[in-house]
Amino acid sequence: MRTFIFLLFIGFAISMSSCREDFEFKPSTGDLTFSKDTVYCDTVFTNISSSTYSLKVYNRSNKDIKIPTIRLARPDSKYRITVDGMTGENQNNHTFRDVELLAKDSMYIFIEVTADVASSNPTDFLYTDQILFDEGTNQQKVELVTLIQDAYFLYPKRFSDGTTETLTIEGIEEPIYGFFLDENDPVNGNEYLWKNDKPYVIYGYAAVPNNKILEIEPGSRIHFHAESGLIIGNGATLKAKGTLEDKIIFEGDRLEPGFSNVAGQWETIWLTAGSTNNEIEHVIIKNAVVGLNIDSNDGNFMPIKNTEIYNSSLIGLYAKTAKIQGENLVINNAGITSLYCGIGGSYEFKHCTFNNNWASSRQVAVWLNNYYKDIDGNTQTEALDQADFKNCIIYGSNTNELLLDPDSGAAFNTSFSKCVIKFGTTSNQLYSFIYDENNIKRSENPDFLDVSKNKLIIGDDSSAKGFGVNIGVTNDILGNPRTTIDAGAYNSVIFED
């Protein structure tokens, strides 16, 4: 037995010594390979941190190696890197020493950048650096490139006692993180004129007070940070009038392509009760919680023309006891409904396209009602004086995309003329109009180009082609003359294969 134990010990010692070489790391010889030779970080605003990007480093040799240094080339680099989960020697993680990498193995390097326009190349606004692997003749490198975009930054003031500016809004108990615009701001100048020379980035809610007009130039781009938005107060006015060539765009402040169609990145554009003379034309609103939130306005019809609202996590256009005239309005995809006209009001929609393919069994494209529940649970009604839809498309992925939701305590007046409506069978007399084949095409495919990419142009085989009548909206949303009168915001086209 003692001999057996002795032989076992000798065998174990021999096996350990034979494996020792596996744990001896040789200096690298410049033979690393990389998942990419240049890491392009997507466009960021000045002094706003980027997303995190990754680079994979491979040791394809049969030897375990030790990389003497991995570092950023610029000593004052605005980039930050972590190597295989490790932090570097200094505060900004610029240098890593003696990094071990096993044979036939790989590791990740994660990269971020926070830079400003002043540090970028003045001719192209690119900020560049390199990750250097090893030194001397064995040195290898991977390029780092990002585009820095300058912007106007609007945000609440911070006071000397450490508190920040807030807004008190009627009907909301808690103050909200926000600020009033300033026509004599020391940095931005007149904040009641949003210019198109560079983007605006908004933190918190930007508010327009009584008797003030916010005018937004054609071609302006407005980016909202998370939980931010725009408030047009009682007696205030929004003039957002773009052109066919220079649309005004409202969206989130994440510029990476992966965020281009992500809903709920910012809050809303809120036209509060009593806001007056608002105009919206040639505007795109993307990726909000609620795209447009319109309370009871000043009693006059508010025009919304040639406007697109996409990817709202709750509601695209949320109108309450409002008066709206919509022409060439396109709303696509929302968690609850693309268009909500509730608690009464008056609405006219001509040549509009309302679609909802949100992945939910309860979503609809259009929801109309004339009541609400107060805080005590009691039903309060307001007359829906009119909700007229002419030459419109109401469609989506569910069987029924139109919800008529009245209370008998107030008027509920709706009309649908020459519309394509996604709707199944029903015995409810409210929907009797959907069986009028001369006036309504029920559940016939409008043949959209690509709903997932918000391309709601209709094809040559669309059920909406030629179904409309002349109601005075002479051009479609793209500015094309309406020779054949199609339902919806777009003229039909022949799709290319």
Side-chain angles (χ1 to χ4, degrees), residues 50-217:
S50 72
S51 292
T52 302
Y53 299 84
S54 63
L55 171 72
K56 202 167 186 180
V57 182
Y58 300 91
N59 173 18
R60 302 194 186 279
S61 73
N62 295 317
K63 297 180 179 180
D64 303 331
I65 63 171
K66 182 180 291 185
I67 307 168
T69 60
I70 298 176
R71 65 182 177 88
L72 291 164
R74 299 172 68 155
D76 60 344
S77 182
K78 308 295 184 181
Y79 287 95
R80 302 177 300 279
I81 59 174
T82 57
V83 176
D84 211 24
M86 300 181 294
T87 55
E89 288 184 350
N90 51 26
Q91 184 178 3
N92 293 321
N93 295 338
H94 285 178
T95 304
F96 299 76
R97 299 189 188 279
D98 297 328
V99 179
E100 297 173 348
L101 186 56
L102 295 174
K104 304 296 184 181
D105 201 359
S106 62
M107 66 181 179
Y108 277 102
I109 294 179
F110 295 103
I111 304 148
E112 296 177 341
V113 62
T114 304
D116 55 21
V117 168
S119 61
S120 64
N121 187 325
T123 59
D124 55 18
F125 300 106
L126 293 177
Y127 184 76
T128 61
D129 201 350
Q130 298 170 328
I131 303 178
L132 302 180
F133 299 81
D134 210 336
E135 307 291 342
T137 57
N138 290 333
Q139 188 172 85
Q140 297 175 267
K141 63 185 179 181
V142 172
E143 304 288 341
L144 304 176
V145 179
T146 192
L147 176 66
I148 310 298
Q149 189 167 1
D150 198 7
Y152 295 102
F153 291 90
L154 280 63
Y155 48 86
K157 296 181 178 66
R158 181 175 292 276
F159 303 116
S160 57
D161 62 359
T163 61
T164 55
E165 188 177 1
T166 59
L167 296 169
T168 301
I169 304 298
E170 184 178 353
I172 298 179
E173 293 183 3
E174 296 294 328
I176 64 174
Y177 181 66
F179 59 98
F180 286 109
L181 298 176
D182 185 349
E183 57 192 339
N184 294 298
D185 184 82
V187 176
N188 298 319
N190 181 10
E191 292 179 341
Y192 292 114
L193 175 63
W194 289 3
K195 297 176 288 187
N196 58 18
D197 56 338
K198 55 185 179 181
Y200 284 76
V201 181
I202 314 296
Y203 288 82
Y205 274 90
V208 183
N210 187 31
N211 294 325
K212 295 295 183 180
I213 299 172
L214 173 60
E215 183 177 351
I216 304 177
E217 291 184 342

Side-chain angles (χ1 to χ4, degrees), residues 188-411:
N188 298 319
N190 181 10
E191 292 179 341
Y192 292 114
L193 175 63
W194 289 3
K195 297 176 288 187
N196 58 18
D197 56 338
K198 55 185 179 181
Y200 284 76
V201 181
I202 314 296
Y203 288 82
Y205 274 90
V208 183
N210 187 31
N211 294 325
K212 295 295 183 180
I213 299 172
L214 173 60
E215 183 177 351
I216 304 177
E217 291 184 342
S220 297
R221 298 185 72 100
I222 295 89
H223 300 265
F224 295 96
H225 194 62
E227 300 182 357
S228 300
L230 174 63
I231 296 176
I232 309 301
N234 182 23
T237 299
L238 172 65
K239 298 289 187 184
K241 299 184 70 174
T243 65
L244 180 62
E245 296 77 18
D246 293 302
K247 297 178 184 295
I248 296 169
I249 300 177
F250 297 91
E251 59 184 325
D253 65 347
R254 300 298 299 269
L255 304 183
E256 304 92 325
F259 285 85
S260 61
N261 289 312
V262 176
Q265 295 181 44
W266 55 285
E267 292 293 318
T268 189
I269 299 170
W270 184 8
L271 309 181
T272 66
S275 63
T276 183
N277 297 321
N278 300 305
E279 294 181 82
I280 295 177
E281 187 169 354
H282 289 295
V283 166
I284 297 174
I285 301 170
K286 297 172 54 180
N287 307 330
V289 175
V290 175
L292 267 178
N293 183 359
I294 304 177
D295 279 335
S296 52
N297 39 336
D298 60 359
N300 298 314
F301 275 101
M302 173 188 166
I304 305 176
K305 298 180 179 180
N306 302 301
T307 289
E308 304 155 68
I309 304 174
Y310 298 132
N311 307 325
S312 305
S313 60
L314 292 182
I315 299 172
L317 171 53
Y318 185 24
K320 305 179 293 297
T321 326
K323 298 188 73 171
I324 295 172
Q325 285 180 326
E327 292 183 6
N328 289 336
L329 173 61
V330 177
I331 308 179
N332 188 39
N333 283 351
I336 298 175
T337 180
S338 295
L339 172 68
Y340 174 82
C341 298
I343 322 175
S346 294
Y347 308 95
E348 295 179 357
F349 295 105
K350 300 177 180 180
H351 282 289
C352 296
T353 299
F354 306 111
N355 186 77
N356 201 353
N357 278 45
W358 197 271
S360 166
S361 61
R362 296 185 177 181
Q363 58 80 9
V364 293
V366 174
W367 180 4
L368 309 176
N369 80 11
N370 62 348
Y371 69 93
Y372 71 101
K373 299 284 187 180
D374 63 23
I375 58 175
D376 297 320
N378 299 315
T379 299
Q380 306 294 332
T381 59
E382 294 284 348
L384 182 64
D385 294 316
Q386 65 178 109
D388 298 338
F389 294 77
K390 300 176 181 178
N391 294 357
C392 292
I393 297 174
I394 300 172
Y395 210 76
S397 55
N398 283 345
T399 302
N400 299 327
E401 288 293 342
L402 172 64
L403 175 57
L404 304 181
D405 179 28
D407 185 276
S408 59

Side-chain angles (χ1 to χ4, degrees), residues 436-466:
D436 181 358
E437 296 180 355
N438 294 319
N439 194 49
I440 301 295
K441 287 194 174 181
R442 179 169 60 90
S443 300
E444 295 188 29
N445 193 346
D447 190 25
F448 295 128
L449 176 58
D450 192 334
V451 168
S452 65
K453 296 181 179 178
N454 296 316
K455 296 179 179 180
L456 301 189
I457 299 170
I458 59 175
D460 193 52
D461 295 328
S462 172
S463 59
K465 181 180 179 181

Side-chain angles (χ1 to χ4, degrees), residues 15-24:
S15 66
M16 288 294 291
S17 63
S18 66
C19 295
R20 182 182 301 171
E21 187 175 355
D22 292 345
F23 294 95
E24 292 180 357

